[in-house]
Amino acid sequence: MDDLFQQIRELRRRDERRGGAPDHVQELLLVTKVAEEACEAGELYRRSKGWGTDGPVTATRREAQHEMCAAIMAGLVALDRLYPDGDASKVWADYLAYGNERARRENTEAA
């Protein structure tokens, strides 16, 4: 997990440098980037199905997958900004464990 967030930290540094905004605005830009990327992923997925285009497919499934990865990456970059100094990897690991346990419990109850 630490290796993942070492890579995420590099992406964050790049995004903050590219953003060119004052430091107190960087956090907001990184957080809102998550929604932007997620909307783009949804749009590409819709277009890959030909929905809303009267049938023609104007995007590939691979493009939609890559944009979803961009949304996930943007989320992890924003999380790293909100919880610097290695805390982001712990926050992510804890939340993933919580979500996994909850899903496991709900799936067991539903079976």
Side-chain angles (χ1 to χ4, degrees):
M1 191 67 72
D2 289 335
D3 184 52
L4 170 66
F5 275 90
Q6 288 172 358
Q7 294 176 53
I8 293 298
R9 180 111 349 113
E10 282 302 312
L11 292 164
R12 180 183 138 203
R13 286 185 191 124
R14 180 206 59 193
D15 290 351
E16 289 174 340
R17 180 181 46 77
R18 284 181 178 175
D23 190 60
H24 68 281
V25 177
Q26 287 291 349
E27 196 167 281
L28 176 63
L29 291 177
L30 293 175
V31 168
T32 58
K33 183 74 171 167
V34 179
E36 175 195 340
E37 297 292 352
C39 286
E40 289 176 14
E43 176 63 15
L44 284 172
Y45 179 76
R46 180 188 68 76
R47 289 176 35 213
S48 76
K49 296 294 190 179
W51 300 335
T53 59
D54 293 328
V57 171
T58 59
T60 67
R61 185 169 185 86
R62 187 73 168 164
E63 288 172 321
Q65 291 168 340
H66 282 183
E67 204 59 46
M68 183 57 68
C69 289
I72 293 165
M73 191 167 24
L76 292 174
V77 166
L79 182 65
D80 188 65
R81 173 65 189 221
L82 295 174
Y83 298 97
D85 302 323
D87 290 343
S89 65
K90 181 171 178 3
V91 170
W92 175 246
D94 289 349
Y95 194 79
L96 185 59
Y98 160 76
N100 185 41
E101 177 55 35
R102 182 177 174 184
R104 190 173 297 171
R105 184 178 61 250
E106 289 176 12
N107 290 338
T108 301
E109 290 170 2

